[in-house]
Structure formats: structure tokens, C-alpha cells
Amino acid sequence: MSRGGAFNVLWILIALLPLGAGAQLVTLYDNGQTHSLAPFLGALASPQTERGVTVDTTSSVPASPDLGAADPARLLPLRSPSLSPGPVHHQPLPALYQDTLLRPVFLVGAGARSRAWLQQHRSLLLSLEAVGLLVQAETLEDLQTMATIAQGLPLLPAAATDLAETLELTHIPVLISRRGIEQ
């Protein structure tokens, strides 16, 4: 057998070795809310043993999974302390952001001024394909009310303290576009 053939056979043997076939499972992280994967694995394999490990299908999947940050109630109250309802005078968008702003962005709260502004400017915002940030809301009802008014506009709950500081914003509602910062 040539040297190259022996080398290929060696690689094939190494690839076929069941490395770690008898290895124990190791917990890498457990935050106290960890759930067994067994119920999920049961859908993929029989409750028999798989590679020598018995799959426990008696554990139950949590009835209501913890959605973490995706749960809207965990976002509340949503506050951006540096922003308050008030008038915004038109100013140009800083040159630094002219080329980086791909879509117009608007910031609103859940107060009466923002609700009225969003209702009044909704069709313009839709035509601009603007993305909204709901920067102040106290209750789930506030979130639902603003989503209803937005009707088809992307409206994301988010604190905008950094954005307000960067663009020196003090009041909402506000529209930020390549035309400038305006109400």
C-alpha cells in the first residue's frame, strides 16, 4: 500500500471512531429556571435509550413559557426621562447622520399630544415608510392604544434616551428624516 493510501485509511478510521460515545452530559449553565429538554427530544426519538442515555419523557413542558424581554408587560413602564411632550422646531439633521438614516424614524409617547399627532400624520408616515419608537408608556392599554392608532406602521416600544441625547431632542412627538428633525 502506498503512503498516500495508508494516510487515507488512517483518516477514515479516525472519522469512524465514536469519540465520546460514553461521555457523561455536563451542565454548562443553570439559572434556576432551566427546563429539561427531554419532552422535546421525545418528539424526535422513542422513549428508549439513545446512545446509552435514557430519555425521560415524564417531565412536562412549562404551560406558559417565560418570554423574557419579548413579553410586553416586562417593558413597562417604558420611560425616556429626557423626553417630554412639547413643540419641536424644524432643524436640519446633522450631516453625520444624513447617509446613515435609511428610513425615517418617529418618536411618540402614549399621551394625548402624541396620540393626536400620530392620528394626524399617520398617512404621511405610511407614505414615508417610517418606523416608530414608542418611548413612553405606562400600561398595556397604552401599548394597545398606540398600536391601534398606528394601524400598519411599525411601532416598537423602546427607550430612546441615547437617541435623544445624540440628536439633542427634548420633546416628542418628533419625526427624524433626511429632511431634518421636525414635528
Side-chain angles (χ1 to χ4, degrees):
M1 183 183 291
S2 72
R3 183 174 180 188
F7 187 70
N8 288 338
V9 169
L10 179 63
W11 278 111
I12 292 172
L13 288 174
I14 290 173
L16 294 176
L17 285 175
L19 297 175
Q24 293 284 328
L25 294 177
V26 176
T27 301
L28 296 178
Y29 176 75
D30 184 355
N31 68 356
Q33 296 178 345
T34 304
H35 299 283
S36 171
L37 286 177
F40 302 105
L41 295 175
L44 301 174
S46 66
Q48 315 261 328
T49 61
E50 183 173 294
R51 291 190 184 196
V53 177
T54 303
V55 179
D56 176 19
T57 58
T58 60
S59 299
S60 62
V61 178
S64 66
D66 181 7
L67 298 175
D71 183 0
R74 286 195 175 197
L75 299 173
L76 299 171
L78 182 59
R79 297 182 179 135
S80 298
S82 60
L83 294 170
S84 62
V88 175
H89 301 288
H90 184 277
Q91 59 187 10
L93 185 66
L96 176 64
Y97 303 107
Q98 285 288 335
D99 294 330
T100 59
L101 186 63
L102 301 177
R103 291 173 71 175
V105 176
F106 63 94
L107 279 59
V108 292
R113 184 181 196 117
S114 286
R115 287 193 309 266
W117 183 86
L118 186 56
Q119 286 174 331
Q120 180 182 357
H121 294 92
R122 186 180 159 278
S123 56
L124 171 66
L125 296 169
L126 279 168
S127 70
L128 293 173
E129 297 181 358
V131 174
L133 298 178
L134 180 61
V135 299
Q136 293 178 348
E138 295 294 319
T139 65
L140 281 172
E141 185 178 329
D142 289 343
L143 293 175
Q144 293 165 346
T145 299
M146 294 307 289
T148 301
I149 295 170
Q151 295 177 21
L153 280 169
L155 186 60
L156 311 168
T161 307
D162 291 340
L163 179 62
E165 184 180 304
T166 301
L167 296 177
E168 299 177 359
L169 301 174
T170 55
H171 296 300
I172 54 172
V174 63
L175 173 63
I176 305 162
S177 69
R178 289 185 181 182
R179 289 185 357 189
I181 299 169
E182 59 191 314
Q183 197 169 56

